[in-house]
Amino acid sequence: MNILSYKRAAGKWTEALPLGNGRIGAMHFGGVEVDRFQLNEDSLWSGPPRNKAPQQDVESLQKVRKLIDEGQYEQAADETKNMFGPYTQAYMPLGDLTITYLHGAVAKGYKRELDIKQALSSVEYTVGQVTYKREAFISQPHQVLAIELTSSVDHQLNVMITLDSLLKSKTVHMDEELALQGICPERCAPVYHDSNEQPIHYGEMGESKAIHFEGRLGVTVEGGQVESCYGKLSIQHATKAVIYLSIATSFNGFNQQPGKDFNVLTEKNRLCLSKAMSLPYARLKQAHIEDYQNLFDRVELSIGHERAESSLDTDERVHKFGTDDLGMVELLFQYGRYLMIAASREGTQPTNLQGIWNDSTRPPWSSNYTLNINTEMNYWPAEIANLAECHQPLLHAIQELSVNGHQMVRERYGMKGWTAHHNTDVWRHAEPVGGDREGDPIWAFWPMSGPWLCRHLWEHYMFSQDRTFLAEEALPIMKGAAEFCLDWLVEDGNGYLLTSPSTSPEHLFRSVDGQIGSVTKGAMMDLQIIWDLFTNSIEAAAVLGIDDEWVDQVKTAKARLYPLQIGQQGQLQEWLKDYADVEPQHRHVSHLYGVFPGNQIFGGTLLEAARQTLNIRGDDGTGWSLGWKMNLWARLKDGERIYGLLQKLFNIVGGNIEFVVGGGLYPNLLGAHPPFQIDGNFGYTAGVIEMIVQSHQGFVELLPALPSTWAKGTLAGVRVRGGFEIDVVWDRMKVRELTVTCTATNRFVLKTTGTVLLREEGQQDREVGAVDGLIALQMCEGQTYSLRF
């Protein structure tokens, strides 16, 4: 069953249940006497776009490169700090919608659920002889949060409704409406920024350059009345009521100043509420479910029939049974797809570190977009899990980021092309962070985000085969990132090209002479990302029939990239030299990018070196780190090792404290870094598919990394590269049937041995044999093909 279920209300944020329509988010607590919906809107960030003087870093860049060549790594790190830039802005909470019931806090028969099949949250309990029910959803078609309140006995609904916020705000009430109006801070420092200045700075409402917002409530009732007074809506003696919330902000775009007129926001909200409230609740709910299920119902996963006790709360099931509960394995897989639909829809912002859910004005890492793994991991399931529409917000943000990235590269480095660094925000911050020399280069200075993000553009083409997208959107951005790499690369003195300065994100090395270093040259992750970008750019050009001087430059540079190295322990080196790791079990596995998500390393001694690297790193880690290792071991085709990782991931973590080991899941199944980060959920969902089907080597491989506990199952509706959707059925660890639906005329190549029985529409069944371990079939768009093994 696709349901998260609990017999108690949420006492903590990490126990509340997430709702969303891509733009509006809510965490539903489900209290008896006091119910809370903690609210977010995806464009609600601190700060207006920055207007600042250009920073010139050419001189510092040359100094850093010289110090690195001389082996003065600590001095190089110190000089790198002169190239730091301002921190990003922070993602803000909007506020709380609170419903207070006048029946007291004592109840019986309590049940709280999140139905991810329909994207509905519900609460049910009994007080005296009256059963009270609450149901909530956030509609994408109608852009409202809708909450239905009912009582089993007529006229027993007596509640008070309030809106409030941690942000600078005020409430406005009239007739049967209640509104919350406010502004975001003009700047908000990250929690790790230590300064004598106030970390949060506000302007004045109606004057501030920051984003203004309004949340507006409307209510309909049956058998009662509604009053608005003293900043509250009061529902008295009703049998049924529906609360509607619309939210509008003055965000005008990443490079535009936000508006300041609350009247504009009020008009938007009233129009939105009028449309939603004109429909019967049942029709509004049905439109929501149909829209949601159009995406969610595309994919099904079944891996056996063992199910845990359904009477247990969801977190109790995880704690008691772990990965032995195959139903929970399936639920967490679909939960990742639910969260993506809830947090990322066409026209919205991409998912940040916390998706769209945040209750703090100074959240961990500003709840921004962290580009050295986390933002990218958020979208690993998008294409393969048949949610390509949900990929669009990131693809659009990459285009916007490239605009600022072009300007930044030209001003700071005097180079061509574009890139971004460690973090970005709603304003598409492209610069290094770190503030006034206070950060550390291992996380503040990393200019490879642009090239990595380009992999998402290429992957969208590979799954869709959309040549118009490739020609008009993807390749121009990829070309700009490649141009930056061509300028950024330097000669090593032996004919090779490498990066300098270079860091391996968030990890330190110890040089032979004992220096603790962060900045060096030729970190292997850099070279793998650039190899990936160059390879994909060359292939994109070939698809479009482009063969010009720029393509020749990229081909030549790719051939001259410094080769990957194997170290003394048999591991894939993380840096140009075989430095000692300061933290051998560090959570980042950056230098395995070429295994996953890239495809540079898929066999031979380098793959074995990658295996040894993972052995040294170990199986512990944060939630997202476990998710990355899961996908890496899938590419290494070790299902039993992944099963061991899953046992660590299926670990209920209490609270929301910050540390960097012992990750897992919170009681509401959101990923625990800790603290909460959503990337672990998405890494898991992507990893499950990688265990069952892979297509990155130019052919489809089935069951490459299946653990023995998943001996029988079905995975239906997932996508593979080349323009195909597939359903695969297996039993006793062997494929029994494969159904392929062709979404773009292309050649389907399957890795297998022996013969298969092919059934295609309008044709007689025929046997097809493998040649050199592969079966290649030309397939036509719109046709479905069945293969029996």
Side-chain angles (χ1 to χ4, degrees):
M1 293 177 63
N2 289 312
I3 293 177
L4 284 69
S5 179
Y6 306 85
K7 295 187 292 294
R8 65 192 186 282
K12 303 174 183 177
W13 193 89
T14 49
E15 296 174 350
L17 297 173
L19 296 169
N21 67 354
R23 184 177 71 88
I24 301 170
M27 296 294 286
H28 186 192
F29 284 69
V32 173
E33 185 172 26
V34 179
D35 198 357
R36 174 189 175 198
F37 289 82
Q38 186 269 311
L39 304 169
N40 290 101
E41 202 276 351
D42 72 342
S43 66
L44 216 59
W45 289 68
S46 61
R50 297 181 190 274
N51 293 315
K52 55 180 180 51
Q55 179 168 329
Q56 249 283 4
D57 288 334
V58 174
E59 183 177 346
S60 286
L61 179 60
Q62 297 307 317
K63 287 180 180 179
V64 170
R65 286 175 169 174
K66 184 174 185 294
L67 289 167
I68 291 170
D69 288 341
E70 295 169 351
Q72 300 184 58
Y73 303 118
E74 292 175 351
Q75 293 92 327
D78 185 70
E79 181 62 37
T80 300
K81 292 183 177 182
N82 291 329
M83 294 191 286
F84 284 179
Y87 292 107
T88 65
Q89 295 294 347
Y91 183 54
M92 291 287 120
L94 185 141
D96 290 316
L97 188 166
T98 303
I99 307 171
T100 302
Y101 279 72
L102 303 184
H103 56 36
V106 179
K108 58 187 177 182
Y110 181 91
K111 181 172 64 175
R112 176 171 64 104
E113 292 184 343
L114 175 64
D115 181 350
I116 65 170
K117 172 73 172 177
Q118 301 185 90
L120 298 173
S121 172
S122 63
V123 174
E124 180 178 342
Y125 56 85
T126 299
V127 176
Q129 299 299 312
V130 182
T131 298
Y132 294 90
K133 294 182 180 181
R134 250 164 274 156
E135 181 179 77
F137 61 88
I138 305 181
S139 168
Q140 202 279 335
H142 293 94
Q143 291 295 309
V144 292
L145 165 62
I147 309 165
E148 182 189 51
L149 318 177
T150 62
S151 62
S152 61
V153 178
D154 290 350
H155 310 300
Q156 294 300 305
L157 278 179
N158 295 284
V159 303
M160 295 181 296
I161 308 165
T162 60
L163 285 172
D164 57 73
S165 177
L166 294 173
L167 304 181
K168 192 172 187 177
S169 59
K170 63 180 180 180
T171 56
V172 180
H173 61 89
M174 60 180 298
D175 299 328
E176 297 180 358
E177 285 188 355
L178 178 66
L180 175 72
Q181 295 180 341
I183 57 173
C184 291
E186 292 184 344
R187 63 175 182 269
C188 179
V191 292
Y192 44 81
H193 173 67
D194 186 15
S195 171
N196 293 327
E197 297 180 359
Q198 286 295 314
I200 297 178
H201 175 77
Y202 282 98
E204 297 299 324
M205 288 198 287
E207 299 177 5
S208 173
K209 295 180 180 178
I211 294 171
H212 291 51
F213 67 88
E214 181 187 271
R216 184 166 291 268
L217 284 176
V219 177
T220 61
V221 296
E222 291 182 12
Q225 60 265 4
V226 181
E227 294 181 357
S228 175
C229 60
Y230 304 112
K232 299 179 181 180
L233 284 181
S234 175
I235 300 175
Q236 300 177 32
H237 310 303
T239 304
K240 174 181 176 181
V242 181
I243 303 168
Y244 303 85
L245 173 71
S246 176
I247 298 172
T249 81
S250 65
F251 177 73
N252 284 325
F254 77 100
N255 57 357
Q256 301 295 320
Q257 292 293 326
K260 303 176 183 179
D261 189 349
F262 282 115
N263 291 326
V264 174
L265 306 183
T266 298
E267 184 179 352
K268 288 181 180 179
N269 279 329
R270 283 185 167 156
L271 178 62
C272 185
L273 288 173
S274 174
K275 291 180 178 179
M277 295 172 68
S278 68
L279 296 174
Y281 174 79
R283 283 184 58 190
L284 189 76
K285 175 181 171 181
Q286 186 60 34
H288 155 72
I289 292 173
E290 289 176 358
D291 169 78
Y292 171 77
Q293 290 184 341
N294 179 54
L295 296 168
F296 184 82
D297 285 355
R298 294 173 181 176
V299 172
E300 295 181 3
L301 172 68
S302 174
I303 51 172
H305 301 287
E306 295 84 353
R307 296 293 182 269
E309 302 171 39
S310 59
S311 62
L312 291 176
D313 284 5
T314 295
D315 56 329
E316 292 173 347
R317 281 177 60 187
V318 174
H319 180 73
K320 185 173 182 178
F321 296 103
T323 52
D324 292 336
D325 181 353
L326 297 183
M328 185 59 66
V329 173
E330 297 168 2
L331 176 62
L332 190 62
F333 167 78
Q334 291 288 21
Y335 192 48
R337 298 183 67 250
Y338 165 81
L339 291 171
M340 176 158 286
I341 299 168
S344 185
R345 298 293 296 269
E346 291 181 271
T348 72
Q349 298 298 320
T351 54
N352 60 52
L353 280 173
Q354 297 185 186
I356 54 171
W357 299 281
N358 164 46
D359 66 339
S360 174
T361 54
R362 296 187 75 197
W365 302 289
S366 301
S367 193
N368 64 19
Y369 302 102
T370 302
L371 301 177
N372 67 6
I373 174 59
N374 312 97
T375 299
E376 292 88 350
M377 183 182 286
N378 282 1
Y379 285 90
W380 284 353
E383 300 291 338
I384 56 175
N386 212 337
L387 295 173
E389 296 93 332
C390 298
H391 207 177
Q392 290 299 323
L394 178 64
L395 303 182
H396 184 66
I398 294 169
Q399 187 278 325
E400 294 177 338
L401 186 58
S402 72
V403 174
N404 287 349
H406 270 284
Q407 181 179 349
M408 181 275 299
V409 164
R410 182 177 65 253
E411 292 175 353
R412 278 184 171 266
Y413 307 128
M415 297 180 184
K416 299 188 296 292
W418 80 277
T419 194
H421 291 77
H422 177 63
N423 297 126
T424 191
D425 54 23
V426 76
W427 311 112
R428 307 305 181 234
H429 180 104
E431 316 215 10
V433 292
D436 188 14
R437 291 180 49 85
E438 66 185 39
D440 192 312
I442 61 171
W443 52 264
F445 192 88
W446 190 71
M448 288 291 113
S449 295
W452 187 345
L453 288 168
C454 286
R455 161 157 280 279
H456 287 264
L457 300 168
W458 177 245
E459 287 283 71
H460 184 67
Y461 165 73
M462 287 296 289
F463 281 89
S464 68
Q465 297 294 294
D466 184 343
R467 293 194 178 203
T468 301
F469 167 80
L470 183 65
E472 297 179 1
E473 298 182 49
L475 186 56
I477 299 173
M478 294 166 67
K479 182 176 180 180
E483 287 174 342
F484 166 73
C485 292
L486 290 172
D487 275 7
W488 186 256
L489 289 164
V490 296
E491 301 265 359
D492 80 326
N494 295 305
Y496 290 117
L497 297 175
L498 43 75
T499 54
S500 180
S502 180
T503 61
S504 190
E506 305 187 36
H507 195 200
L508 297 166
F509 62 86
R510 181 177 288 105
S511 65
V512 176
D513 59 2
Q515 295 181 75
I516 302 299
S518 57
V519 178
T520 182
K521 57 184 176 182
M524 291 295 122
M525 186 190 207
D526 285 6
L527 300 176
Q528 291 171 29
I529 289 174
I530 294 172
W531 183 95
D532 195 50
L533 174 63
F534 284 177
T535 300
N536 297 338
S537 297
I538 292 166
E539 189 168 343
V543 169
L544 298 173
I546 300 171
D547 186 12
D548 56 16
E549 182 180 352
W550 176 80
V551 174
D552 291 338
Q553 286 180 320
V554 174
K555 288 179 178 178
T556 300
K558 177 188 171 183
R560 295 179 60 200
L561 289 174
Y562 199 95
L564 306 181
Q565 301 293 305
I566 298 175
Q568 295 181 30
Q569 299 181 68
Q571 89 286 7
L572 192 66
Q573 285 184 195
E574 190 164 355
W575 294 279
L576 184 68
K577 298 180 180 180
D578 194 9
Y579 302 122
D581 293 339
V582 171
E583 295 181 66
Q585 283 77 50
H586 195 269
R587 62 195 178 278
H588 281 258
V589 281
S590 304
H591 51 310
L592 299 186
Y593 173 96
V595 179
F596 186 93
N599 59 354
Q600 182 179 0
I601 303 168
F602 51 81
T605 57
L606 287 178
L607 190 65
E608 290 309 305
R611 187 186 307 274
Q612 176 65 355
T613 297
L614 280 175
N615 286 329
I616 294 171
R617 278 291 202 263
D619 291 346
D620 290 325
T622 60
W624 65 261
S625 179
L626 293 173
W628 197 351
K629 290 174 182 176
M630 182 181 173
N631 284 273
L632 287 165
W633 281 113
R635 291 281 172 95
L636 288 162
K637 303 179 183 179
D638 194 333
E640 301 307 323
R641 188 66 173 262
I642 299 173
Y643 184 75
L645 287 173
L646 294 183
Q647 291 176 314
K648 294 179 180 293
L649 181 64
F650 279 57
N651 168 51
I652 297 297
V653 175
N656 195 28
I657 58 175
E658 180 178 332
F659 53 99
V660 294
V661 294
L665 302 169
Y666 288 110
N668 57 11
L669 300 189
L670 290 177
H673 178 295
F676 163 51
Q677 283 186 197
I678 203 167
D679 37 27
N681 292 98
F682 296 134
Y684 169 82
T685 296
V688 168
I689 298 177
E690 284 287 328
M691 295 165 71
I692 299 170
V693 57
Q694 296 177 11
S695 62
H696 61 286
Q697 295 185 63
F699 53 80
V700 173
E701 183 173 7
L702 302 175
L703 312 186
L706 207 63
S708 57
T709 52
W710 297 7
K712 179 179 181 179
T714 302
L715 177 64
V718 296
R719 301 170 77 218
V720 295
R721 294 166 183 85
F724 308 99
E725 294 181 11
I726 69 168
D727 305 345
V728 57
V729 179
W730 70 93
D731 191 12
R732 299 181 184 181
M733 306 292 287
K734 293 184 178 180
V735 178
R736 300 304 181 190
E737 184 175 352
L738 174 67
T739 302
V740 182
T741 300
C742 187
T743 59
T745 298
N746 207 346
R747 193 173 70 140
F748 181 83
V749 183
L750 177 68
K751 181 179 180 181
T752 189
T753 56
T755 60
V756 299
L757 184 66
L758 172 66
R759 175 174 295 172
E760 53 185 306
E761 298 173 18
Q763 302 290 327
Q764 288 188 336
D765 294 358
R766 59 189 175 96
E767 286 191 345
V768 180
V771 178
D772 297 328
L774 299 174
I775 289 177
L777 301 168
Q778 186 67 28
M779 294 188 175
C780 298
E781 181 178 354
Q783 298 295 306
T784 298
Y785 305 79
S786 176
L787 291 80
R788 295 185 180 273
F789 295 77

